[in-house]
Amino acid sequence: MKKAVYNCSDNGFCIIEQVDGKNIRKQNKGTPKKGTLIYFADPMCSWCWGMSPEIFKLKKQYARHFDLELVMGGLRHGEEIAWDRKLTQSLFHHWNHVKRTTGQDFNYSILQSTDFVYDTEPACRAVRIIRDLAPNKELIFYHEVQRAFYMDNNNPKASDFYRPICKKLNIPLGYCYPCKTPVALHGR
């Protein structure tokens, strides 16, 4: 009489042992299934910017174990929040806290602007569009949008904001403008 015994390890490999009297035959059931790490993020989220180097390290170190899927969160989705002294002081203290905690640099010059509208929707839409057009460049595009905002203090709502990023990443320029398509607005 044959009896199958399954021994599965933490890494997802299963060994099937078929016991037939004194003979034991081992068979590898296959390779472990690659997982997906879903990262809810926003290119204009200061904590996301602070953790950006760690996300790249995580992706590189565990690339054979999981895929990284970005889901844009929309931190300040379409909001017309007053860019006043109270908000900019709050952001200054918050960004400083992120910098002290993560070591990631910030350029605070944008906080002196008087006409900036803190709307993260266009940057989120642009990243989402790039996933469809150039999926292998999505994470680096996301990072470059972060850098252009937090270090270069460029405005993601400006039509020319995405041009240098697309040029740097060899993405056709016509694709580098956020647009209000249903997929860009509501897709994962």
Side-chain angles (χ1 to χ4, degrees):
M1 171 184 205
K2 289 186 179 183
K3 178 181 173 186
V5 179
Y6 298 89
N7 294 318
C8 296
S9 64
D10 291 339
N11 66 7
F13 286 99
C14 293
I15 303 295
I16 301 174
E17 297 177 356
Q18 291 183 346
V19 181
D20 184 12
K22 294 182 180 179
N23 299 325
I24 297 176
R25 204 173 83 224
K26 294 185 179 182
Q27 175 184 345
N28 189 337
K29 186 69 174 172
T31 58
K33 185 177 178 182
K34 192 173 182 179
T36 301
L37 175 65
I38 300 173
Y39 177 41
F40 291 87
D42 188 303
M44 295 172 69
C45 161
S46 55
W47 280 108
C48 296
W49 167 244
M51 295 302 296
S52 189
E54 299 307 313
I55 295 297
F56 275 98
K57 288 178 194 173
L58 186 71
K59 183 178 182 348
K60 183 178 179 182
Q61 184 172 351
Y62 295 101
R64 56 179 247 253
H65 298 291
F66 64 80
D67 292 318
L68 180 68
E69 180 182 337
L70 288 175
V71 176
M72 294 297 98
L75 179 66
R76 297 187 187 276
H77 173 20
E79 296 180 22
E80 296 285 331
I81 296 174
W83 188 256
D84 58 16
R85 184 169 170 80
K86 182 179 177 183
L87 176 62
T88 57
Q89 283 181 336
S90 173
L91 289 173
F92 178 80
H93 292 293
H94 185 74
W95 293 1
N96 258 332
H97 178 72
V98 173
K99 181 179 180 174
R100 284 191 317 272
T101 304
T102 67
Q104 185 77 310
D105 283 331
F106 285 79
N107 177 347
Y108 301 97
S109 299
I110 200 163
L111 299 177
Q112 304 304 316
S113 175
T114 57
D115 62 347
F116 184 75
V117 176
Y118 200 16
D119 176 6
T120 70
E121 183 181 1
C124 288
R125 276 191 269 120
V127 173
R128 178 58 187 90
I129 290 167
I130 294 303
R131 179 192 305 160
D132 288 339
L133 301 173
N136 61 329
K137 296 180 182 181
E138 180 186 22
L139 184 61
I140 191 67
F141 181 85
Y142 166 78
H143 174 75
E144 289 298 320
V145 170
Q146 290 177 308
R147 186 196 51 71
F149 175 66
Y150 281 108
M151 296 305 297
D152 301 339
N153 285 171
N154 294 326
N155 184 350
K157 288 186 83 166
S159 62
D160 61 346
F161 175 88
Y162 302 95
R163 188 175 297 274
I165 298 170
C166 288
K167 189 172 184 177
K168 179 179 181 177
L169 300 178
N170 293 317
I171 298 171
L173 292 175
Y175 296 132
C176 286
Y177 299 99
C179 59
K180 293 188 176 189
T181 66
V183 170
L185 288 173
H186 305 293
R188 266 178 76 184

